Amino acid sequence: GDQVEQSPSALSLHEGTGSALRCNFTTTMRAVQWFQQNSRGSLINLFYLASGTKENGRLKSTFNSKESYSTLHIRDAQLEDSGTYFCAAEGYTGNYKYVFGAGTRLKVIA
Amino acid sequence: AQTIHQWPVAEIKAVGSPLSLGCTIKGKSSPNLYWYWQATGGTLQQLFYSITVGQVESVVQLNLSASRPKDDQFILSTEKLLLSHSGFYLCAWRHRGLAETLYFGSGTRLTVL
């Protein structure tokens, strides 16, 4: 079945620095969505991409369906960026199934 | 604006007891609805989806069942809880059709003792 490999599994960043998260897909995906899960468990929508690149403030995401990967770049990290980040991808099988990556636990340090 | 409400917020239940979790979407007609389960520290696993009233498809059963009695309501239930049912249950919706953003409710935290 469709698989999503997310890396890194955990990440520590000092405030003001940045990094990239990545999801690789084992099959061609229709779209990808990125979420931040906060300490209460709420999932916050960050991006939905069917192709290309989107940017929102300090976050930028790219989806390359041809090469089967997506990235999420965080720049100028702030304490409130801490949490777990998930990518979720939808395949072309038409069964309305989203497959989630294992998540990246991000800790931003002052 | 669409809102999604899940109930209860948290439950502590005994092994073998029944369970019913609910999800309501307001402000959107005929949404696709989904149930997800997340073990502590784990990823999200899709359990069920529904594209219309009375129609529910299972992705992973885990000895649970789901129903969609109304267009805006999605129910997750079991008659006998297992210890392995503990975790975080999330309901989600999106517009009918593909290529659309998935929106999540705030979840129900279930502890089975």
Side-chain angles (χ1 to χ4, degrees):
Chain A
D2 299 339
Q3 295 292 328
V4 177
E5 297 161 356
Q6 187 171 346
S7 62
S9 58
L11 181 62
S12 285
L13 291 175
H14 286 282
E15 272 187 302
T17 64
S19 189
L21 315 180
R22 184 175 173 113
C23 283
N24 292 324
F25 313 118
T26 56
T27 58
T28 303
M29 296 297 186
R30 178 193 303 272
V32 67
Q33 198 164 346
W34 284 92
F35 299 90
Q36 179 195 19
Q37 189 169 39
N38 62 22
S39 57
R40 292 188 310 277
S42 297
L43 280 158
I44 301 161
N45 284 301
L46 299 177
F47 295 104
Y48 174 91
L49 298 108
S51 65
T53 298
K54 288 187 179 178
E55 196 162 352
N56 184 4
R58 298 176 291 100
L59 300 178
K60 183 169 78 173
S61 182
T62 295
F63 176 41
N64 187 322
S65 57
K66 205 171 179 181
E67 296 185 19
S68 295
Y69 74 89
S70 178
T71 57
L72 176 70
H73 291 260
I74 303 172
R75 63 175 175 84
D76 187 24
Q78 303 296 306
L79 294 175
E80 61 264 28
D81 295 332
S82 294
T84 303
Y85 289 77
F86 291 99
C87 66
E90 183 185 10
Y92 280 95
T93 54
N95 65 356
Y96 302 91
K97 186 178 175 184
Y98 267 93
V99 179
F100 277 73
T104 297
R105 283 158 190 76
L106 172 64
K107 185 172 183 179
V108 180
I109 308 160
Chain B
Q2 299 87 5
T3 59
I4 179 169
H5 174 59
Q6 278 189 250
W7 74 91
V9 171
E11 279 265 49
I12 300 174
K13 303 277 277 184
V15 168
S17 62
L19 175 76
S20 181
L21 304 181
C23 173
T24 299
I25 290 82
K26 295 298 181 189
K28 177 70 189 135
S29 61
S30 304
N32 290 344
L33 298 176
Y34 306 81
W35 277 111
Y36 283 83
W37 173 77
Q38 184 180 30
T40 302
T43 189
L44 280 82
Q45 186 168 30
Q46 189 171 335
L47 301 176
F48 299 94
Y49 69 88
S50 170
I51 62 172
T52 193
V53 174
Q55 196 174 326
V56 176
E57 299 295 331
S58 170
V59 178
V60 175
Q61 272 202 327
L62 300 181
N63 292 306
L64 296 166
S65 59
S67 64
R68 188 168 177 178
K70 299 184 203 176
D71 185 52
D72 63 353
Q73 198 173 76
F74 207 18
I75 307 295
L76 184 71
S77 60
T78 183
E79 292 188 3
K80 271 190 174 182
L81 279 165
L82 307 171
L83 285 173
S84 58
H85 285 137
S86 291
F88 196 46
Y89 289 84
L90 291 138
C91 179
W93 75 272
R94 73 174 186 183
H95 294 282
R96 175 70 54 85
L98 301 175
E100 292 285 352
T101 303
L102 200 60
Y103 298 95
F104 281 89
S106 52
T108 295
R109 202 162 296 279
L110 174 67
T111 303
V112 182
L113 302 173

